Amino acid sequence: MTRICILGGGFGGLYTALNLSRLPWAVMPEIILIDKSDRFLFTPFLYELVTSEMQEWEIAPTFAELLADTGIQFVQGLVTNIDFEAKQVEVNIGQPDVLKYDRLVLAIGAETPMNLVDGASEYAIPFRNLNDFYRLNSKLKLLEASNRDKIRVCIAGGGSSGVELACKIADRLKDRGRVRLVDRNHKILANSTDTNRKIAELALSQRGVWTDLNTKISQVTDREVTLDYADGSDTLPVDMIVWTVGTTFTKMLQNLPVKHNHQGAIATESTLQVKGYADVFAIGDLASCLDANGYLLPATAQVAFQQSQYCAWNVWASLNQKPLVTFSYIPLGEFISLGIDGATASIFGKFSIDGLPAHWMRKFAYLLRMPTSQHQWKIGTYWLTKPLIQLFRKSV
Ligand SMILES: Cc1cc2nc3c(=O)[nH]c(=O)nc-3n(C[C@H](O)[C@H](O)[C@H](O)COP(=O)(O)OP(=O)(O)OC[C@H]3O[C@@H](n4cnc5c(N)ncnc54)[C@H](O)[C@@H]3O)c2cc1C
């Protein structure tokens, strides 16, 4: 039987697997999805866990639940190596195992580099997955339970992750919080629209978040952070440092005998096939994929989601002797959450809205992006009935 192996069950891999299972197969191939975690993570909502606006089951459903009745097999294991010549993947599922493939999809995403600055790997907390959230949450809980008057949090990186986290943490800590956002650029949200940036700047200042621009973090210890400004440096006391800067890839990916770009992402053809390997596809954060104008596509869920549709089609086409299609990305806009019940949205980069309407628009748009209609239905009805349940609880 033909076997398709998909490595990584994130926005690229899980959605490719689901799309593949819905295509018209004469004989259904074996579709195997491999992930080291037992659950998918809808990363854009990870910030909502910090403020308890959402719960884990809403944003991180298990693969077992999502893949029930799809025919897709799930293997929980860590991919440790790929042999393109032997067409096989080495996976650690508690013990080493080997899976042969006819078609392979690489979608294990990227990682946050914690070695850019002295002390960061020991003392700073990244924010990319559920384990990072658990770490951040326990640290915040400890600080909240302490007798400290103020809780000083330093966030490295003024991209969307840093800005969104700063607003959520400031809302969680309220008057006790002293949140500082540090970026080496002269502005936050360097890749966003001017309107989104202005709204975000206002949201940060309304929450009393201090923003240090043109500033580099040069050292991190368990209780201090050293900041280098254009005209000197300063070492400040902090209680917690969150690191959102940079992108890197696992050693395993970096060592693959394929073409990488300068950042280490895997070079692909416009059909999403890995250059030099027609039976291997690469999508999502780990793929270096160019748009029609030759610009590198951003590492976003939006790109990975759109690639998953083309990738599934092209895998199907390659197994059914049909022509492959060229991936074409359509930027739909951007949502940035700004504290509890707040957000800013730019639609097609042209129209902007903010505040509660943007918050609900973001929630609704992301609801439609949830992986299966069953999960959409489950959380959609929960969101609708939650205010009624809360009202009922208050009245009894
Ligand atoms: C906090 C946060 C918020 C974000 N918000 C947004 C947003 O609002 N909008 C947006 O467009 N993008 C957002 N992004 C970016 C978006 O999450 C990524 O671009 C997207 O997830 C990339 O999809 P992917 O499939 O390449 O990787 P991922 O979604 O990261 O999936 C990779 C999967 O591979 C698995 N894996 C990794 N290594 C291995 C291994 N060796 N073996 C087995 N499994 C492995 C992981 O467990 C994971 O499930 C956000 C990212 C973060 C961290």
Side-chain angles (χ1 to χ4, degrees):
M1 188 188 262
T2 305
R3 179 185 280 174
I4 305 166
C5 281
I6 301 170
L7 313 186
F11 277 93
L14 171 65
Y15 290 68
T16 298
L18 291 167
N19 289 327
L20 271 169
S21 71
R22 293 171 193 138
L23 285 169
W25 297 98
V27 179
M28 184 79 173
E30 218 182 344
I31 304 171
I32 303 184
L33 180 69
I34 304 160
D35 200 291
K36 61 182 178 182
S37 167
D38 66 336
R39 53 191 63 219
F40 165 71
L41 176 62
F42 197 95
T43 46
F45 279 149
L46 193 56
Y47 314 104
E48 269 73 1
L49 294 186
V50 176
T51 42
S52 305
E53 285 167 274
M54 287 189 195
Q55 300 166 57
E56 236 175 274
W57 68 265
E58 293 170 76
I59 74 158
T62 61
F63 288 114
E65 182 189 332
L66 294 173
L67 301 179
D69 307 323
T70 60
I72 300 165
Q73 293 175 45
F74 175 64
V75 172
Q76 186 176 357
L78 181 78
V79 176
T80 51
N81 198 17
I82 303 164
D83 184 336
F84 293 122
E85 302 310 324
K87 288 189 167 207
Q88 64 185 32
V89 178
E90 291 167 27
V91 193
N92 192 324
I93 52 166
Q95 77 239 21
D97 198 4
V98 171
L99 284 167
K100 291 262 182 200
Y101 64 80
D102 296 289
R103 293 293 178 275
L104 181 69
V105 178
L106 305 177
I108 61 169
E111 296 188 337
T112 303
M114 297 304 290
N115 57 354
L116 299 179
V117 156
D118 271 359
S121 60
E122 292 95 325
Y123 304 114
I125 304 176
F127 195 71
R128 198 176 263 274
N129 53 40
L130 276 179
N131 287 336
D132 298 337
F133 162 72
Y134 298 143
R135 235 181 112 190
L136 178 131
N137 197 38
S138 0
K139 179 88 188 180
L140 276 176
K141 276 186 176 163
L142 273 179
L143 293 168
E144 286 166 319
S146 71
N147 55 8
R148 279 177 175 76
D149 180 26
K150 301 293 176 203
I151 298 173
R152 298 155 302 186
V153 181
C154 174
I155 300 175
S160 50
S161 275
V163 169
E164 294 184 79
L165 256 180
C167 289
K168 294 287 190 199
I169 292 178
D171 277 2
R172 169 163 168 174
L173 297 177
K174 300 194 188 76
D175 289 345
R176 277 185 91 188
R178 286 288 176 274
V179 183
R180 180 180 282 271
L181 186 65
V182 182
D183 198 293
R184 63 179 185 176
N185 273 315
H186 65 283
K187 57 184 180 187
I188 56 159
L189 299 174
N191 301 321
S192 297
T193 60
D194 288 344
T195 316
N196 270 359
R197 182 175 316 109
K198 281 195 188 109
I199 295 166
E201 282 166 354
L202 182 66
L204 290 168
S205 77
Q206 282 169 340
R207 287 166 175 79
V209 175
W210 184 264
T211 308
D212 283 304
L213 298 174
N214 294 312
T215 305
K216 274 189 192 169
I217 295 182
S218 58
Q219 193 176 21
V220 169
T221 68
D222 60 340
R223 60 192 69 182
E224 285 175 337
V225 61
T226 303
L227 305 180
D228 289 351
Y229 311 104
D231 53 357
S233 79
D234 208 355
T235 297
L236 305 171
V238 282
D239 299 308
M240 176 173 158
I241 299 170
V242 192
W243 194 269
T244 70
V245 181
T247 298
T248 188
F249 303 96
T250 61
K251 282 274 168 303
M252 188 270 291
L253 275 185
Q254 291 178 32
N255 291 337
L256 288 180
V258 293
K259 199 172 163 207
H260 296 89
N261 75 3
H262 65 286
Q263 286 176 320
I266 295 177
T268 64
E269 305 287 357
S270 59
T271 51
L272 303 173
Q273 285 160 301
V274 172
K275 282 185 189 290
Y277 296 95
D279 49 1
V280 184
F281 295 75
I283 55 172
D285 287 0
L286 64 70
S288 163
C289 185
L290 305 180
D291 71 6
N293 301 316
Y295 291 110
L296 186 67
L297 290 175
T300 65
Q302 200 183 147
V303 169
F305 176 84
Q306 291 185 32
Q307 285 176 329
S308 73
Q309 295 165 332
Y310 284 75
C311 180
W313 179 265
N314 281 346
V315 169
W316 178 89
S318 73
L319 288 168
N320 286 282
Q321 292 72 50
K322 298 277 193 276
L324 273 60
V325 289
T326 295
F327 172 62
S328 149
Y329 173 58
I330 304 171
L332 300 174
E334 176 188 50
F335 290 112
I336 300 175
S337 73
L338 296 172
I340 295 175
D341 291 351
T344 178
S346 93
I347 299 131
F348 295 117
K350 291 196 169 78
F351 316 102
S352 289
I353 55 165
D354 64 300
L356 202 57
H359 165 76
W360 277 106
M361 189 174 175
R362 174 175 175 268
K363 262 186 116 167
F364 185 67
Y366 286 167
L367 175 66
L368 298 180
R369 284 288 189 253
M370 285 288 167
T372 62
S373 51
Q374 288 87 337
H375 194 63
Q376 286 170 354
W377 177 250
K378 197 169 156 187
I379 57 176
T381 46
Y382 175 69
W383 290 352
L384 283 176
T385 51
K386 197 170 141 186
L388 296 175
I389 296 169
Q390 280 169 347
L391 205 69
F392 177 74
R393 282 206 186 120
K394 268 188 200 152
S395 65
V396 290

